[in-house]
Amino acid sequence: MSAAVKMTGRGAAILWMTAALFAATVWLLPAAPVQAMNGEAKVVYHADYSDPRRFSAMLTSINNMITTYKSDLRDYDVRIVFVAHGIRFLTEDALAETPFAADAALRERRENLRGRLRSLVDVHGVKLELCDITRSEIELSEDELYQGVEMVRSGVVRIAELQQQGFAYLKIE
């Protein structure tokens, strides 16, 4: 006697449908994550601190991220939203007599940080957005900001809007 079981009719149809569904599921599952990874990477960094070392770490992180995306031939949209103390990194003004006044650590590193930030903008297309509430509270003219800084009404609202648009939120600690 043969060890094979002969199926006919309804049992065979159910077996074939189950096998077809399983094959379709296995075939379709890998496509979704691959498709998501091939889309545009959208990332927003939040800069609301005064520490130049921390800002330097953020610039390094952004550079590494963009290098990876470019290596993978992946499109990206990277933004930095500056709020409160982050304004220190967008101007040469010492911001004297404001809560954001430049200290010795910032004065020592300002030129290097400005050059690295400028490179991210000019070479890699990183977008800089500044909270207009912060700027207007210290009465800093927009003319005193680095070229290419876009004003947004509220920095935290902007971050929330970007997250709703699918941007990943990163903050360097």
Side-chain angles (χ1 to χ4, degrees), residues 17-173:
M17 285 185 0
T18 303
L21 281 173
F22 177 75
T25 302
V26 169
W27 182 74
L28 290 175
L29 279 178
V34 169
Q35 192 173 33
M37 288 301 295
N38 288 334
E40 180 181 46
K42 299 189 294 186
V43 182
V44 58
Y45 281 82
H46 184 182
D48 66 349
Y49 45 81
S50 63
D51 183 3
R53 287 181 301 147
R54 194 168 163 193
F55 188 67
S56 177
M58 183 189 74
L59 297 177
T60 299
S61 174
I62 293 170
N63 190 65
N64 291 343
M65 175 183 287
I66 289 172
T67 299
T68 300
Y69 290 150
K70 284 187 171 190
S71 172
D72 293 345
L73 302 176
R74 187 169 179 199
D75 292 332
Y76 59 87
D77 183 351
V78 177
R79 302 178 187 210
I80 309 171
V81 176
F82 295 83
V83 179
H85 284 86
I87 196 171
R88 292 166 36 119
F89 305 110
L90 294 176
T91 183
E92 293 296 318
D93 191 296
L95 305 176
E97 299 180 25
T98 75
F100 315 123
D103 56 12
L106 178 58
R107 286 190 299 272
E108 180 181 322
R109 299 184 76 170
R110 186 185 301 273
E111 187 175 332
N112 174 271
L113 296 173
R114 181 189 60 223
R116 292 170 60 203
L117 182 63
R118 189 82 259 145
S119 176
L120 288 173
V121 171
D122 293 343
V123 177
H124 302 296
V126 172
K127 296 175 184 81
L128 310 178
E129 301 180 358
L130 172 63
C131 174
D132 198 39
I133 295 170
T134 301
R135 186 201 57 78
S136 63
E137 282 184 3
I138 61 170
E139 299 177 357
L140 181 69
S141 167
E142 288 186 44
D143 295 337
E144 295 294 319
L145 298 171
Y146 295 156
Q147 185 179 2
V149 176
E150 182 181 328
M151 301 308 304
V152 294
R153 189 168 166 204
S154 166
V156 292
V157 169
R158 182 61 175 156
I159 290 168
E161 290 170 348
L162 291 170
Q163 285 182 292
Q164 289 173 344
Q165 294 171 24
F167 280 72
Y169 171 87
L170 294 176
K171 186 171 183 179
I172 302 297
E173 293 297 331

